[in-house]
């Protein structure tokens, strides 16, 4: 049991080290030697836990997605209106992107399209499902234009968010992420909510700070 | 002169080969040897024209951006309304992404954030300027909500498009790109145009096919 716990700790250390190196260099330029050095383990120990760079990268994405989903669940469980919940979730992910190196690396790896065969699409599909369910709730609450399909809306909003955080990383090392996210919602909201509800809901982007 | 022309042809061949390899493998995993083999030149000839992988990647981005801007200029010069022009430009880039390996590789490299120091931001800034100018024109034409700032709108729409094409590449190898792009505009339009103009403009996404 103690041995198993120690193995768990070592795995966690390696995943953190891998996140740091993938986050700095991207998948292609990250080397196993760099990751072992960063994690303070031997290459042998690293290979014992993760036989390939591909598996290391998938482990970082899995851990990132777990952390993001834990934080997301805390928001969803508050039982707030659907639309407010989606806006708050986008802010939660933004804060993780600003502060957590594992989340930074995981999201970066997820958008490193070419690296994985098969591509990693589970996190995207999870977000799509969650967002669609919340938009469906928003529709029942009267906060969605009646002609708007919640599934189609989710399949636009999730990629739009992906692009906003990617451009913010590229041009400003994410310094403007929260502002860009407020702008995204400011532009989207009048197209999402029924005209008569806009006045009531137009301050939703201010939740992001 | 003949010698200079031959050098130009060789450069073009190398850039096409580099685009093919970067497009398949991404920046990090692409090797100079693969690119030389793909282009049918010796590694010596390749290094003569491009002393580093970084310079090769920048050359692919430059050529992609040139091709995209040439195609964009053809649309802009038609003198159509601003909002219609932006929608048509988004379709032009989508068609290049579906058919031109140099454009596929250039856009991929541009979103490979970590690879470049300093990062490549000129194409993004060009798009931002062009889009902002067209939204400004749209505002003068009465096609923008009066409370919407054209610069802020451009800084949302360009990243949103970036995300849509990236997610389409990741989850569907771009098979659904045109449909996703129509959906993006369908969601955005009611938030962009004055409520009274929506009926007249709501078919704009149908221009994308």
């Amino acid at each position: 049991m103690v041995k198993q716990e120690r193995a768990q700790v070592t795995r966690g250390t390696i995943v953190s080290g891998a996140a740091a190196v993938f986050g700095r260099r991207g998948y292609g330029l990250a080397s196993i030697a760099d990751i072992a050095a960063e994690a303070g383990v031997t290459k042998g120990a690293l290979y014992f836990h993760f036989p390939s760079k591909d598996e290391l990268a998938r482990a970082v994405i899995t851990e990132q997605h777990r952390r993001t989903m834990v934080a997301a669940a805390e928001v969803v469980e508050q039982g707030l209106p659907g639309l407010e919940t989606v806006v708050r979730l986008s802010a939660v992910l933004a804060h993780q992107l600003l502060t957590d190196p594992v989340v930074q690396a995981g999201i970066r790896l997820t958008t490193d399209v070419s690296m994985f065969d098969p591509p990693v699409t589970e996190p995207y599909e999870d977000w799509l499902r969650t967002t669609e369910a919340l938009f469906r709730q928003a529709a029942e609450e009267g906060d969605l234009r009646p002609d708007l399909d919640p599934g189609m809306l989710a399949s636009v909003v999730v990629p739009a968010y992906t692009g906003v955080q990617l451009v913010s990383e590229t041009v400003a090392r994410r310094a403007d992420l929260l502002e860009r996210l407020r702008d995204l919602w400011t532009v989207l909201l009048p197209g999402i909510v029924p005209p008569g509800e806009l006045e009531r809901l137009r301050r939703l982007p201010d939740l992001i700070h």
Side-chain angles (χ1 to χ4, degrees), chain A:
Chain A
M1 195 55 198
V2 169
K3 199 170 165 188
Q4 214 175 327
E5 276 167 23
R6 201 178 302 155
Q8 273 301 97
V9 170
T10 304
R11 265 187 72 96
T13 309
I14 294 171
V15 168
S16 296
V21 176
F22 286 135
R24 272 201 308 272
R25 317 214 64 202
Y27 181 81
L29 296 179
S31 79
I32 295 287
D34 286 347
I35 292 169
E38 180 81 30
V41 302
T42 64
K43 280 174 76 170
L46 195 152
Y47 278 119
F48 174 78
H49 289 280
F50 299 98
S52 71
K53 194 159 85 167
D54 183 280
E55 283 175 64
L56 258 174
R58 287 177 193 269
V60 171
I61 292 174
T62 301
E63 174 59 15
Q64 170 264 308
H65 191 54
R66 191 192 64 75
R67 291 185 190 189
T68 304
M69 286 294 123
V70 165
E74 277 176 30
V75 176
V76 171
E77 282 158 13
Q78 291 174 41
L80 298 162
L83 195 56
E84 178 176 341
T85 304
V86 178
V87 173
R88 285 186 185 275
L89 285 183
S90 71
V92 162
L93 178 55
H95 281 290
Q96 287 192 325
L97 279 167
L98 290 170
T99 56
D100 185 336
V102 171
V103 174
Q104 290 162 358
I107 294 290
R108 154 83 81 81
L109 288 165
T110 309
T111 56
D112 245 356
V113 275
S114 56
M115 300 313 160
F116 301 104
D117 188 20
V120 177
T121 58
E122 295 91 335
Y124 169 73
E125 282 154 15
D126 252 12
W127 273 107
L128 202 65
R129 252 192 311 272
T130 303
T131 310
E132 178 175 345
L134 290 164
F135 281 143
R136 212 168 284 286
Q137 180 192 334
E140 284 160 18
E141 291 161 347
D143 288 350
L144 236 60
R145 286 177 178 255
D147 58 341
L148 208 46
D149 176 70
M152 186 273 250
L153 180 60
S155 80
V156 167
V157 169
V158 174
Y161 185 99
T162 302
V164 163
Q165 65 83 19
L166 184 67
V167 168
S168 172
E169 183 185 2
T170 308
V171 306
R173 294 174 164 249
R174 296 205 180 91
D176 59 4
L177 178 58
L178 297 180
E179 188 190 342
R180 282 179 178 274
L181 188 53
R182 277 193 299 271
D183 287 347
L184 174 66
W185 284 115
T186 301
V187 168
L188 286 173
L189 272 180
I192 292 179
V193 309
E197 309 298 328
L198 184 57
E199 211 33 56
R200 179 172 60 84
L201 297 166
R202 74 154 71 241
R203 302 254 62 90
L204 276 182
D206 295 347
L207 292 172
I208 300 158
H209 52 75

